[in-house]
Amino acid sequence: CSRPQKVCLCPFLPIHPLKVSTCLYIIQHPAEESRVLRTVPLLAACLPPDKCKILVGRRFSEDRYPELATVCRNPNTLILYPGAEAANLEEVAVMSPSPSVMIIIDGTWSQAKDIFYKNSLFRLPKQVQLKTNHSSQYVIRTQPTNTCLSTLECAAVALAIMEKNKSIQETILHPLQALCAFQLQHGAQIHHSKEHLLKNGLYDKPMPKNKRKLRRMELLVNNVKI
């Protein structure tokens, strides 16, 4: 896991990479590379190299990424991105028993939105989303809402659904749980979601002057899906 021995997460990783038929393509925003506590390296450590491919960038053209373009045109490829047009992954998995490729965008919500809407390739695969009320276990990083999940958590839930194997989710989440425990033991604080802080009057940062951002915060307080 390339972490110091005192906080090494290797004992919490699977002894052998998980055997999965689904291949993940993680589209990572460049800003994520510099984050110390990012989760994608833990995800990659749980899976065979040919089942977890990471592409870093903001713009993905067909000329520069011909392999990705081929993947996006494959009818068995799915992209995990919530929205009005996204189908429930559990329902799609029942109808699509064949091995699939899943694309997941790794970044903040605004970064992921920018990547999704400014790359036409990502509108080619079938769009799916997770229907889950689980709270994120990635408690050392602030999430927009109580049910927003980290990239690793999304991948864990999605793979468990696609592979029809609940234990996959537990195995992938194990190192994340250990990471958070280590950080909390060494002085990190639990980060409540922005939604939780706003609803409970605990948000201590200046409110944004931008009307669009202010409107998004009002929707969070009123529990409106954004």
Side-chain angles (χ1 to χ4, degrees):
C1 67
S2 72
R3 288 167 58 87
Q5 188 172 0
K6 184 184 292 186
V7 290
C8 178
L9 296 173
C10 290
F12 304 95
L13 296 170
I15 298 174
H16 302 291
L18 293 170
K19 293 182 179 180
V20 295
S21 58
T22 305
C23 178
L24 299 182
Y25 273 77
I26 307 298
I27 306 301
Q28 187 175 76
H29 189 280
E32 286 295 312
E33 281 190 299
S34 60
R35 291 186 181 274
V36 177
L37 300 176
R38 59 194 190 277
T39 64
V40 167
L42 297 180
L43 172 63
C46 292
L47 300 171
D50 65 328
K51 296 300 183 183
C52 185
K53 302 182 180 184
I54 303 168
L55 300 177
V56 181
R58 293 184 178 88
R59 301 294 174 261
F60 297 86
S61 66
E62 186 165 357
D63 291 340
R64 291 185 61 191
Y65 296 89
E67 178 187 342
L68 179 63
T70 300
V71 166
C72 288
R73 287 193 166 86
N74 188 320
N76 286 328
T77 297
L78 306 173
I79 185 164
L80 188 65
Y81 190 84
E85 298 180 0
N88 182 350
L89 177 59
E90 291 194 41
E91 296 175 0
V92 173
V94 171
M95 297 184 291
S96 305
S98 57
S100 298
V101 175
M102 176 169 287
I103 298 171
I104 302 177
I105 302 175
D106 179 45
T108 64
W109 284 99
S110 60
Q111 291 167 350
K113 183 178 181 180
D114 179 73
I115 289 174
F116 180 76
Y117 284 106
K118 292 186 177 179
N119 290 281
S120 58
L121 282 178
F122 298 143
R123 240 98 69 239
L124 297 176
K126 185 174 182 63
Q127 186 179 344
V128 295
Q129 61 187 339
L130 300 174
K131 296 288 188 179
T132 175
N133 293 319
H134 294 168
S135 295
S136 175
Q137 297 184 44
Y138 193 22
V139 295
I140 55 175
R141 186 167 171 180
T142 304
Q143 304 289 357
T145 71
N146 294 332
T147 56
C148 284
L149 303 179
S150 66
T151 300
L152 178 141
E153 291 172 301
C154 287
V157 175
L159 281 174
I161 294 171
M162 294 300 296
E163 302 291 321
K164 300 175 177 60
N165 184 348
K166 184 72 174 178
S167 68
I168 288 176
Q169 180 178 336
E170 298 168 358
T171 300
I172 295 178
L173 291 182
H174 198 200
L176 176 67
Q177 294 161 349
L179 169 65
C180 292
F182 278 139
Q183 294 302 126
L184 293 173
Q185 289 168 9
H186 289 81
Q189 301 293 317
I190 291 178
H191 287 222
H192 293 290
S193 70
K194 188 179 290 186
E195 175 188 13
H196 174 90
L197 296 175
L198 288 168
K199 286 184 175 180
N200 291 277
L202 302 173
Y203 191 76
D204 58 1
K205 295 181 180 180
M207 297 299 283
K209 295 180 180 179
N210 181 291
K211 290 184 179 180
R212 181 178 60 82
K213 292 183 177 179
L214 190 60
R215 177 57 179 162
R216 286 176 64 86
M217 294 184 111
E218 291 173 351
L219 293 174
L220 283 177
V221 173
N222 296 319
N223 202 29
V224 175
K225 188 174 182 180
I226 58 175

